[in-house]
Amino acid sequence: MKPSYSEQLETLGRHFDAIRETQAESARVDARLAEQVDEARRFAEALGRNAAQAARDAARDGPLSAGVAAGIAAGAAGTAAVPRARWDAVMVAEREFVTELACTLRLPVRSAETLIAESRTLIHELPATRAALQDGLITYRHAQAIMNQAWSLPAEALAGFEEALLKSAPHLTVSNLKYKARVMRERLHPESIRARHQKSVLDRTVTFEPEADGMASMHWYDSAARVKAAHDRLTVMGLSLQGPDEPRTVTQLRADVFEDLILDGVTASGVGKGIRGTVHVTVPAMTLLGHSEEPGHLEGYGPIDPDTAREIAARAPSFIRILTHPETGVVLSVGRTRYKVPKDLRRYLRVRDETCRWPGCRRAAAHSDLDHTLDWQFAGITAHDNLAHLCPADHALKSETRWSYVHLPDGTLKWTSPTGRTFLSEPATIIRSAAPPPETLKSPEGKGAATAFG
Protein backbone atom coordinates (compact mmCIF):
# COMPACT_ATOMS: atom_id res chain seq x y z
CA MET A 1 0.00 0.00 0.00
CA LYS A 2 1.32 3.39 -0.97
CA PRO A 3 2.22 5.60 2.03
CA SER A 4 -0.14 8.46 2.66
CA TYR A 5 0.98 12.03 2.08
CA SER A 6 1.27 12.63 5.83
CA GLU A 7 3.44 9.50 6.19
CA GLN A 8 5.70 10.71 3.39
CA LEU A 9 6.07 14.06 5.17
CA GLU A 10 7.02 12.20 8.35
CA THR A 11 9.70 10.33 6.40
CA LEU A 12 11.01 13.60 4.99
CA GLY A 13 11.05 14.99 8.52
CA ARG A 14 13.24 12.09 9.63
CA HIS A 15 15.66 12.96 6.84
CA PHE A 16 15.86 16.51 8.19
CA ASP A 17 16.41 15.17 11.72
CA ALA A 18 19.30 13.03 10.46
CA ILE A 19 20.82 16.03 8.68
CA ARG A 20 20.52 18.12 11.82
CA GLU A 21 22.18 15.40 13.90
CA THR A 22 25.08 15.20 11.44
CA GLN A 23 25.51 18.96 11.71
CA ALA A 24 25.50 18.68 15.50
CA GLU A 25 28.14 15.94 15.34
CA SER A 26 30.28 18.21 13.14
CA ALA A 27 29.97 20.92 15.82
CA ARG A 28 31.07 18.45 18.48
CA VAL A 29 34.11 17.55 16.35
CA ASP A 30 34.95 21.26 16.05
CA ALA A 31 34.75 21.61 19.82
CA ARG A 32 37.14 18.68 20.29
CA LEU A 33 39.50 20.14 17.70
CA ALA A 34 39.59 23.43 19.62
CA GLU A 35 40.48 21.54 22.81
CA GLN A 36 43.25 19.58 21.07
CA VAL A 37 44.73 22.66 19.39
CA ASP A 38 44.80 24.60 22.65
CA GLU A 39 46.33 21.68 24.53
CA ALA A 40 49.07 21.41 21.88
CA ARG A 41 49.65 25.18 22.04
CA ARG A 42 50.17 25.07 25.80
CA PHE A 43 52.57 22.12 25.44
CA ALA A 44 54.62 23.95 22.77
CA GLU A 45 54.74 27.11 24.88
CA ALA A 46 56.02 25.06 27.84
CA LEU A 47 58.79 23.66 25.62
CA GLY A 48 59.81 27.18 24.67
CA ARG A 49 59.80 28.41 28.26
CA ASN A 50 61.89 25.43 29.40
CA ALA A 51 64.42 26.02 26.63
CA ALA A 52 64.68 29.72 27.47
CA GLN A 53 65.17 28.91 31.15
CA ALA A 54 67.93 26.43 30.26
CA ALA A 55 69.73 29.16 28.35
CA ARG A 56 69.43 31.61 31.25
CA ASP A 57 70.71 28.99 33.72
CA ALA A 58 73.68 28.19 31.48
CA ALA A 59 74.57 31.86 31.11
CA ARG A 60 74.31 32.42 34.87
CA ASP A 61 76.31 29.36 35.92
CA GLY A 62 79.33 29.87 33.72
CA PRO A 63 81.16 32.41 31.54
CA LEU A 64 79.53 31.15 28.36
CA SER A 65 79.29 33.25 25.29
CA ALA A 66 75.91 34.32 24.00
CA GLY A 67 76.33 31.90 21.10
CA VAL A 68 76.96 28.92 23.37
CA ALA A 69 74.01 29.82 25.59
CA ALA A 70 71.85 30.06 22.48
CA GLY A 71 73.10 26.64 21.45
CA ILE A 72 72.07 25.19 24.81
CA ALA A 73 68.64 26.77 24.47
CA ALA A 74 68.31 25.36 20.98
CA GLY A 75 69.30 21.92 22.21
CA ALA A 76 66.80 22.09 25.05
CA ALA A 77 64.10 22.93 22.56
CA GLY A 78 65.25 20.15 20.26
CA THR A 79 66.44 22.59 17.60
CA ALA A 80 69.76 23.02 15.89
CA ALA A 81 71.91 25.93 16.98
CA VAL A 82 72.02 28.62 14.31
CA PRO A 83 74.99 31.02 14.15
CA ARG A 84 73.89 34.53 15.08
CA ALA A 85 70.31 33.32 15.53
CA ARG A 86 67.78 36.13 15.72
CA TRP A 87 64.99 34.17 17.42
CA ASP A 88 65.05 33.08 21.03
CA ALA A 89 63.81 29.67 22.18
CA VAL A 90 60.29 30.92 22.90
CA MET A 91 59.97 32.39 19.41
CA VAL A 92 61.36 29.22 17.81
CA ALA A 93 58.87 27.02 19.68
CA GLU A 94 55.95 29.28 18.77
CA ARG A 95 56.77 29.46 15.05
CA GLU A 96 57.50 25.75 14.80
CA PHE A 97 54.16 24.94 16.39
CA VAL A 98 52.13 27.32 14.23
CA THR A 99 53.74 26.25 10.96
CA GLU A 100 53.55 22.51 11.63
CA LEU A 101 49.90 22.86 12.63
CA ALA A 102 49.29 24.72 9.35
CA CYS A 103 50.89 21.93 7.33
CA THR A 104 49.12 19.21 9.34
CA LEU A 105 45.68 20.74 8.69
CA ARG A 106 46.59 21.92 5.16
CA LEU A 107 45.91 25.53 6.09
CA PRO A 108 47.72 28.77 5.28
CA VAL A 109 49.83 29.91 8.23
CA ARG A 110 47.55 32.90 8.82
CA SER A 111 44.51 30.59 8.99
CA ALA A 112 46.34 28.35 11.46
CA GLU A 113 47.12 31.38 13.63
CA THR A 114 43.42 32.29 13.56
CA LEU A 115 42.46 28.74 14.56
CA ILE A 116 44.89 28.86 17.49
CA ALA A 117 43.47 32.19 18.65
CA GLU A 118 39.88 30.92 18.27
CA SER A 119 40.67 27.73 20.19
CA ARG A 120 42.25 29.69 23.00
CA THR A 121 39.25 32.01 23.15
CA LEU A 122 36.74 29.16 23.26
CA ILE A 123 38.60 27.29 25.99
CA HIS A 124 39.59 30.19 28.24
CA GLU A 125 37.39 33.20 27.49
CA LEU A 126 34.06 31.98 26.09
CA PRO A 127 33.45 28.62 27.81
CA ALA A 128 29.67 28.82 27.38
CA THR A 129 30.10 29.18 23.62
CA ARG A 130 32.37 26.14 23.57
CA ALA A 131 29.77 24.22 25.62
CA ALA A 132 27.03 25.16 23.15
CA LEU A 133 29.29 23.97 20.32
CA GLN A 134 30.00 20.73 22.18
CA ASP A 135 26.28 20.15 22.66
CA GLY A 136 25.62 20.73 18.96
CA LEU A 137 23.39 23.73 19.63
CA ILE A 138 25.41 26.02 17.37
CA THR A 139 27.84 25.53 14.48
CA TYR A 140 31.46 26.63 14.38
CA ARG A 141 30.47 29.52 12.12
CA HIS A 142 28.08 30.72 14.84
CA ALA A 143 30.92 30.50 17.35
CA GLN A 144 33.16 32.51 15.01
CA ALA A 145 30.49 35.22 14.71
CA ILE A 146 30.49 35.56 18.51
CA MET A 147 34.28 35.46 18.82
CA ASN A 148 34.91 38.03 16.09
CA GLN A 149 32.96 40.63 18.06
CA ALA A 150 34.10 39.46 21.50
CA TRP A 151 37.80 39.94 20.74
CA SER A 152 37.54 43.71 20.94
CA LEU A 153 35.55 43.77 24.19
CA PRO A 154 37.15 44.15 27.63
CA ALA A 155 37.31 40.97 29.73
CA GLU A 156 34.69 42.16 32.21
CA ALA A 157 32.08 42.52 29.44
CA LEU A 158 32.53 39.05 27.89
CA ALA A 159 30.28 37.03 30.20
CA GLY A 160 27.23 39.27 29.68
CA PHE A 161 27.88 39.53 25.94
CA GLU A 162 28.15 35.75 25.57
CA GLU A 163 25.10 34.99 27.71
CA ALA A 164 22.87 37.41 25.81
CA LEU A 165 23.85 36.06 22.39
CA LEU A 166 23.60 32.38 23.29
CA LYS A 167 19.94 32.80 24.24
CA SER A 168 19.04 33.32 20.57
CA ALA A 169 22.06 31.89 18.69
CA PRO A 170 20.64 28.34 18.30
CA HIS A 171 17.73 29.57 16.14
CA LEU A 172 19.52 32.36 14.22
CA THR A 173 21.32 32.15 10.89
CA VAL A 174 24.99 33.05 11.00
CA SER A 175 24.26 36.30 9.16
CA ASN A 176 21.60 37.34 11.67
CA LEU A 177 23.83 36.38 14.57
CA LYS A 178 26.65 38.50 13.15
CA TYR A 179 24.32 41.49 13.00
CA LYS A 180 23.03 40.91 16.52
CA ALA A 181 26.57 40.47 17.87
CA ARG A 182 27.75 43.64 16.14
CA VAL A 183 24.89 45.69 17.60
CA MET A 184 25.45 44.29 21.07
CA ARG A 185 29.17 44.94 20.86
CA GLU A 186 28.45 48.60 20.07
CA ARG A 187 26.34 48.86 23.23
CA LEU A 188 28.88 47.19 25.51
CA HIS A 189 32.15 48.56 24.16
CA PRO A 190 33.61 51.25 26.45
CA GLU A 191 35.53 52.87 23.60
CA SER A 192 33.74 55.25 21.23
CA ILE A 193 33.01 54.16 17.68
CA ARG A 194 35.17 57.05 16.45
CA ALA A 195 38.24 55.74 18.29
CA ARG A 196 37.63 52.20 17.08
CA HIS A 197 37.13 53.36 13.50
CA GLN A 198 40.44 55.22 13.57
CA LYS A 199 42.17 52.00 14.60
CA SER A 200 40.34 49.91 12.01
CA VAL A 201 41.29 52.24 9.17
CA LEU A 202 44.91 51.22 9.79
CA ASP A 203 43.94 47.73 8.57
CA ARG A 204 42.80 48.93 5.12
CA THR A 205 43.93 46.61 2.36
CA VAL A 206 43.40 45.40 -1.20
CA THR A 207 43.45 41.65 -1.89
CA PHE A 208 43.43 39.48 -5.02
CA GLU A 209 41.37 36.29 -5.26
CA PRO A 210 41.49 33.86 -8.23
CA GLU A 211 38.09 32.69 -9.49
CA ALA A 212 36.94 30.05 -11.98
CA ASP A 213 37.04 30.23 -15.80
CA GLY A 214 39.94 32.66 -16.16
CA MET A 215 38.38 35.24 -13.85
CA ALA A 216 39.50 36.85 -10.59
CA SER A 217 38.23 39.37 -8.05
CA MET A 218 39.87 42.23 -6.16
CA HIS A 219 38.60 43.19 -2.71
CA TRP A 220 39.11 46.66 -1.23
CA TYR A 221 38.73 46.99 2.55
CA ASP A 222 38.62 50.58 3.79
CA SER A 223 36.42 53.15 5.48
CA ALA A 224 32.75 52.50 4.67
CA ALA A 225 32.29 56.11 3.52
CA ARG A 226 35.17 55.88 1.02
CA VAL A 227 34.15 52.50 -0.36
CA LYS A 228 30.51 53.56 -0.71
CA ALA A 229 31.53 56.80 -2.44
CA ALA A 230 33.77 54.87 -4.84
CA HIS A 231 30.98 52.44 -5.70
CA ASP A 232 28.54 55.30 -6.27
CA ARG A 233 31.04 57.06 -8.53
CA LEU A 234 31.51 53.93 -10.61
CA THR A 235 27.74 53.61 -10.89
CA VAL A 236 27.24 57.22 -12.00
CA MET A 237 30.07 56.97 -14.54
CA GLY A 238 28.65 53.72 -15.86
CA LEU A 239 25.16 55.19 -16.19
CA SER A 240 26.59 58.15 -18.13
CA LEU A 241 27.81 55.74 -20.81
CA GLN A 242 24.40 54.18 -21.39
CA GLY A 243 22.62 54.88 -24.63
CA PRO A 244 20.62 53.26 -27.43
CA ASP A 245 23.78 51.83 -29.00
CA GLU A 246 25.38 50.65 -25.76
CA PRO A 247 24.81 46.89 -25.25
CA ARG A 248 26.54 46.60 -21.87
CA THR A 249 24.56 46.38 -18.63
CA VAL A 250 25.14 48.80 -15.74
CA THR A 251 27.02 46.05 -13.90
CA GLN A 252 29.33 45.52 -16.88
CA LEU A 253 29.82 49.25 -17.38
CA ARG A 254 30.70 49.68 -13.71
CA ALA A 255 33.35 46.96 -14.02
CA ASP A 256 34.76 48.43 -17.26
CA VAL A 257 34.96 51.94 -15.80
CA PHE A 258 36.78 50.55 -12.76
CA GLU A 259 39.21 48.70 -15.05
CA ASP A 260 40.01 51.87 -17.00
CA LEU A 261 40.53 53.89 -13.83
CA ILE A 262 42.68 51.35 -12.01
CA LEU A 263 44.85 50.38 -14.99
CA ASP A 264 45.38 53.81 -16.51
CA GLY A 265 44.28 56.36 -13.91
CA VAL A 266 46.58 58.81 -12.13
CA THR A 267 46.07 60.14 -8.60
CA ALA A 268 45.80 63.85 -7.82
CA SER A 269 49.44 63.84 -6.67
CA GLY A 270 50.58 62.21 -9.91
CA VAL A 271 51.08 58.70 -8.57
CA GLY A 272 50.48 56.18 -11.34
CA LYS A 273 51.74 58.29 -14.22
CA GLY A 274 53.74 56.06 -16.52
CA ILE A 275 53.16 53.02 -14.29
CA ARG A 276 51.59 49.90 -15.74
CA GLY A 277 50.98 46.59 -14.04
CA THR A 278 52.86 43.61 -15.44
CA VAL A 279 51.80 40.01 -15.91
CA HIS A 280 53.81 36.91 -16.73
CA VAL A 281 52.18 34.23 -18.85
CA THR A 282 53.55 30.88 -20.00
CA VAL A 283 52.16 29.83 -23.39
CA PRO A 284 52.72 26.43 -25.06
CA ALA A 285 54.59 26.96 -28.32
CA MET A 286 51.85 25.34 -30.44
CA THR A 287 49.23 27.57 -28.78
CA LEU A 288 51.36 30.63 -29.49
CA LEU A 289 51.52 29.64 -33.17
CA GLY A 290 47.76 29.01 -33.32
CA HIS A 291 48.14 25.24 -33.84
CA SER A 292 46.75 24.24 -30.44
CA GLU A 293 44.05 25.34 -28.02
CA GLU A 294 45.98 24.25 -24.91
CA PRO A 295 45.52 26.91 -22.17
CA GLY A 296 48.21 29.34 -21.16
CA HIS A 297 49.33 29.79 -17.56
CA LEU A 298 49.09 33.19 -15.85
CA GLU A 299 51.57 33.59 -13.00
CA GLY A 300 49.79 33.92 -9.67
CA TYR A 301 46.51 32.66 -11.12
CA GLY A 302 46.66 29.47 -13.21
CA PRO A 303 45.15 28.36 -16.56
CA ILE A 304 43.77 31.03 -18.91
CA ASP A 305 42.08 30.57 -22.29
CA PRO A 306 44.40 30.42 -25.32
CA ASP A 307 43.04 33.60 -26.95
CA THR A 308 43.84 35.66 -23.86
CA ALA A 309 47.26 34.01 -23.60
CA ARG A 310 48.06 34.86 -27.23
CA GLU A 311 46.81 38.44 -26.77
CA ILE A 312 49.07 38.98 -23.75
CA ALA A 313 52.02 37.39 -25.54
CA ALA A 314 51.49 39.61 -28.59
CA ARG A 315 51.91 42.73 -26.42
CA ALA A 316 54.87 41.39 -24.42
CA PRO A 317 58.11 43.39 -24.76
CA SER A 318 60.26 40.33 -23.91
CA PHE A 319 60.21 36.53 -23.77
CA ILE A 320 62.20 33.77 -22.15
CA ARG A 321 62.03 30.44 -23.95
CA ILE A 322 61.49 27.46 -21.64
CA LEU A 323 61.36 24.26 -23.68
CA THR A 324 60.27 20.93 -22.29
CA HIS A 325 61.81 19.17 -25.31
CA PRO A 326 64.39 19.88 -26.69
CA GLU A 327 66.84 21.26 -24.10
CA THR A 328 66.16 24.68 -22.60
CA GLY A 329 69.62 26.10 -23.02
CA VAL A 330 69.23 27.87 -19.66
CA VAL A 331 72.32 27.79 -17.44
CA LEU A 332 71.07 25.67 -14.54
CA SER A 333 74.16 25.86 -12.36
CA VAL A 334 77.23 28.03 -11.80
CA GLY A 335 78.43 25.80 -8.96
CA ARG A 336 80.65 27.52 -6.39
CA THR A 337 81.90 30.13 -8.84
CA ARG A 338 79.39 32.74 -7.69
CA TYR A 339 76.75 33.25 -5.00
CA LYS A 340 74.58 35.64 -7.00
CA VAL A 341 72.01 33.88 -9.19
CA PRO A 342 72.45 34.65 -12.93
CA LYS A 343 69.57 36.41 -14.66
CA ASP A 344 68.54 33.51 -16.92
CA LEU A 345 68.60 31.03 -14.02
CA ARG A 346 66.57 33.47 -11.93
CA ARG A 347 63.89 33.60 -14.65
CA TYR A 348 63.93 29.81 -15.00
CA LEU A 349 63.33 29.46 -11.25
CA ARG A 350 60.57 32.06 -11.30
CA VAL A 351 58.70 30.10 -13.98
CA ARG A 352 59.27 26.82 -12.13
CA ASP A 353 58.23 28.08 -8.69
CA GLU A 354 55.80 30.95 -9.41
CA THR A 355 55.22 31.36 -5.66
CA CYS A 356 57.03 30.87 -2.37
CA ARG A 357 57.72 27.15 -2.03
CA TRP A 358 56.67 26.82 1.59
CA PRO A 359 53.73 24.34 1.62
CA GLY A 360 50.57 26.41 1.31
CA CYS A 361 52.20 29.84 0.84
CA ARG A 362 50.94 31.81 -2.18
CA ARG A 363 53.25 34.83 -2.06
CA ALA A 364 54.50 35.55 -5.58
CA ALA A 365 58.04 34.51 -6.46
CA ALA A 366 58.61 38.08 -7.66
CA HIS A 367 58.29 39.21 -4.02
CA SER A 368 60.24 36.31 -2.50
CA ASP A 369 63.91 35.54 -1.85
CA LEU A 370 65.95 32.89 -3.65
CA ASP A 371 67.16 30.53 -0.95
CA HIS A 372 70.19 28.25 -1.21
CA THR A 373 68.75 24.97 0.11
CA LEU A 374 72.17 23.97 1.43
CA ASP A 375 73.50 27.31 2.63
CA TRP A 376 76.36 28.87 0.67
CA GLN A 377 78.39 29.03 3.89
CA PHE A 378 78.11 25.23 4.16
CA ALA A 379 79.40 24.63 0.59
CA GLY A 380 76.00 24.91 -1.10
CA ILE A 381 76.10 25.61 -4.84
CA THR A 382 74.20 28.09 -6.99
CA ALA A 383 72.16 25.64 -9.04
CA HIS A 384 68.52 25.05 -9.95
CA ASP A 385 68.36 22.01 -7.66
CA ASN A 386 69.79 23.93 -4.70
CA LEU A 387 67.65 27.06 -5.09
CA ALA A 388 64.00 27.80 -4.31
CA HIS A 389 61.87 30.88 -3.76
CA LEU A 390 60.91 31.54 -0.15
CA CYS A 391 59.06 34.64 1.04
CA PRO A 392 60.94 36.60 3.75
CA ALA A 393 58.87 35.05 6.57
CA ASP A 394 59.40 31.48 5.39
CA HIS A 395 63.05 32.15 4.55
CA ALA A 396 63.55 33.20 8.18
CA LEU A 397 61.63 30.13 9.35
CA LYS A 398 63.97 27.84 7.43
CA SER A 399 67.04 29.65 8.79
CA GLU A 400 65.96 29.91 12.43
CA THR A 401 64.15 26.61 13.12
CA ARG A 402 64.47 22.90 12.49
CA TRP A 403 62.39 23.01 9.31
CA SER A 404 64.43 21.81 6.31
CA TYR A 405 63.80 20.67 2.75
CA VAL A 406 65.39 18.73 -0.10
CA HIS A 407 64.83 18.84 -3.86
CA LEU A 408 63.26 15.90 -5.68
CA PRO A 409 64.13 15.31 -9.37
CA ASP A 410 60.91 16.86 -10.76
CA GLY A 411 61.30 20.11 -8.82
CA THR A 412 59.11 19.06 -5.89
CA LEU A 413 60.42 20.12 -2.47
CA LYS A 414 60.15 17.64 0.39
CA TRP A 415 59.97 19.55 3.67
CA THR A 416 60.75 17.88 7.01
CA SER A 417 59.09 19.34 10.11
CA PRO A 418 60.53 19.71 13.63
CA THR A 419 58.74 16.49 14.67
CA GLY A 420 60.12 14.59 11.66
CA ARG A 421 56.95 14.57 9.52
CA THR A 422 57.19 15.35 5.80
CA PHE A 423 55.18 17.63 3.54
CA LEU A 424 55.46 18.25 -0.22
CA SER A 425 55.55 21.47 -2.23
CA GLU A 426 55.01 20.90 -5.95
CA PRO A 427 56.47 23.25 -8.59
CA ALA A 428 54.08 25.39 -10.62
CA THR A 429 55.78 24.22 -13.82
CA ILE A 430 57.72 21.00 -14.30
CA ILE A 431 60.62 21.81 -16.63
CA ARG A 432 62.54 18.84 -18.00
CA SER A 433 66.18 19.72 -18.52
CA ALA A 434 67.73 16.49 -19.77
CA ALA A 435 69.53 17.12 -23.08
CA PRO A 436 68.23 15.05 -26.03
CA PRO A 437 70.36 13.72 -28.92
CA PRO A 438 71.42 16.50 -31.36
CA GLU A 439 69.20 15.27 -34.19
CA THR A 440 66.10 15.58 -31.96
CA LEU A 441 66.50 19.36 -32.01
CA LYS A 442 65.22 19.40 -35.59
CA SER A 443 62.17 17.29 -34.85
CA PRO A 444 58.86 19.07 -35.64
CA GLU A 445 57.32 17.20 -32.72
CA GLY A 446 59.42 19.02 -30.15
CA LYS A 447 57.22 20.70 -27.58
CA GLY A 448 57.98 23.92 -25.79
CA ALA A 449 56.67 27.00 -24.15
CA ALA A 450 57.42 30.68 -24.23
CA THR A 451 57.03 32.80 -21.16
CA ALA A 452 56.07 36.39 -21.89
CA PHE A 453 57.14 39.11 -19.47
CA GLY A 454 54.97 42.14 -20.04
Side-chain angles (χ1 to χ4, degrees):
M1 181 177 176
K2 184 178 179 181
S4 66
Y5 185 69
S6 61
E7 290 173 330
Q8 293 180 58
L9 287 179
E10 288 179 6
T11 301
L12 180 59
R14 287 193 291 271
H15 282 294
F16 285 126
D17 290 340
I19 292 170
R20 178 66 185 87
E21 179 54 34
T22 299
Q23 184 187 53
E25 179 56 33
S26 177
R28 288 189 280 270
V29 170
D30 288 330
R32 289 198 298 273
L33 178 63
E35 293 175 0
Q36 292 169 349
V37 168
D38 193 66
E39 182 180 2
R41 174 193 63 80
R42 287 182 277 115
F43 186 85
E45 288 180 353
L47 284 179
R49 289 193 300 269
N50 293 340
Q53 186 60 50
R56 289 193 293 269
D57 292 344
R60 184 182 64 249
D61 295 341
L64 300 178
S65 68
V68 175
I72 292 175
T79 62
V82 180
R84 299 181 299 278
R86 295 171 294 167
W87 296 357
D88 61 19
V90 173
M91 179 71 166
V92 168
E94 188 268 335
R95 295 319 300 167
E96 286 186 344
F97 170 66
V98 170
T99 51
E100 186 155 1
L101 178 67
C103 288
T104 299
L105 298 180
R106 299 176 297 279
L107 293 173
V109 171
R110 184 61 61 84
S111 297
E113 291 172 335
T114 299
L115 175 62
I116 293 167
E118 290 174 345
S119 299
R120 184 172 190 163
T121 298
L122 285 172
I123 300 302
H124 301 286
E125 298 173 13
L126 298 174
T129 301
R130 188 200 64 78
L133 191 65
Q134 179 64 51
D135 292 340
L137 298 176
I138 61 173
T139 68
Y140 195 75
R141 290 184 62 207
H142 286 85
Q144 287 177 314
I146 296 173
M147 286 187 286
N148 287 340
Q149 299 300 325
W151 276 333
S152 60
L153 286 172
E156 58 272 16
L158 289 179
F161 173 78
E162 182 183 35
E163 181 182 5
L165 288 177
L166 287 177
K167 289 179 180 178
S168 52
H171 61 262
L172 291 178
T173 65
V174 174
S175 178
N176 286 340
L177 181 60
K178 284 181 179 179
Y179 176 78
K180 189 177 182 71
R182 187 167 62 249
V183 171
M184 187 165 296
R185 171 182 170 271
E186 294 296 337
R187 294 174 183 168
L188 295 176
H189 206 292
E191 201 172 25
S192 70
I193 189 171
R194 175 184 295 175
R196 283 181 279 122
H197 175 71
Q198 290 173 347
K199 292 179 182 178
S200 296
V201 166
L202 298 177
D203 295 327
R204 59 191 181 276
T205 185
V206 174
T207 56
F208 169 81
E209 184 68 28
E211 306 286 357
D213 302 323
M215 304 296 283
S217 58
M218 187 165 68
H219 179 77
W220 174 30
Y221 175 79
D222 206 328
S223 166
R226 293 195 187 102
V227 175
K228 182 62 169 59
H231 187 268
D232 287 350
R233 185 181 185 218
L234 291 173
T235 301
V236 171
M237 294 173 74
L239 289 171
S240 71
L241 296 175
Q242 283 190 314
D245 298 324
E246 175 55 69
R248 291 173 292 179
T249 65
V250 174
T251 299
Q252 293 169 335
L253 287 167
R254 190 188 293 120
D256 293 344
V257 168
F258 177 79
E259 176 188 333
D260 291 339
L261 290 173
I262 200 66
L263 292 180
D264 298 303
V266 179
T267 69
S269 59
V271 175
K273 185 176 183 179
I275 297 177
R276 292 284 297 181
T278 61
V279 295
H280 296 177
V281 60
T282 300
V283 191
M286 293 298 100
T287 298
L288 197 61
L289 295 173
H291 301 320
S292 170
E293 292 302 296
E294 185 178 350
H297 185 90
L298 180 65
E299 182 184 66
Y301 173 79
I304 57 174
D305 67 276
D307 290 337
T308 300
R310 284 189 285 263
E311 179 185 350
I312 294 173
R315 301 196 307 266
S318 63
F319 290 84
I320 176 173
R321 195 172 182 225
I322 303 290
L323 298 179
T324 57
H325 176 69
E327 167 67 18
T328 68
V330 172
V331 177
L332 298 182
S333 174
V334 293
R336 293 287 297 172
T337 61
R338 59 191 290 191
Y339 174 80
K340 186 176 180 180
V341 182
K343 188 175 182 179
D344 57 349
L345 177 54
R346 185 177 291 274
R347 284 183 168 178
Y348 170 97
L349 294 169
R350 180 167 173 177
V351 171
R352 183 197 71 184
D353 294 346
E354 191 174 302
T355 66
C356 168
R357 294 299 301 280
W358 167 262
C361 184
R362 294 295 302 168
R363 179 145 186 186
H367 305 299
S368 299
D369 306 327
L370 271 175
D371 172 61
H372 282 74
T373 308
L374 177 62
D375 289 350
W376 179 264
Q377 62 182 323
F378 299 133
I381 62 174
T382 300
H384 73 104
D385 54 0
N386 192 53
L387 290 166
H389 284 93
L390 295 179
C391 70
D394 294 328
H395 198 172
L397 182 76
K398 183 250 185 181
S399 300
E400 302 286 332
T401 71
R402 286 181 304 163
W403 277 100
S404 63
Y405 68 90
V406 295
H407 289 253
L408 301 184
D410 65 350
T412 296
L413 302 186
K414 185 167 102 172
W415 285 83
T416 301
S417 75
T419 63
R421 296 152 74 241
T422 58
F423 304 91
L424 299 181
S425 168
E426 297 179 347
T429 305
I430 296 177
I431 306 174
R432 299 178 182 87
S433 57
E439 63 270 21
T440 308
L441 298 176
K442 300 178 182 180
S443 170
E445 297 181 357
K447 296 180 180 179
T451 297
F453 293 79

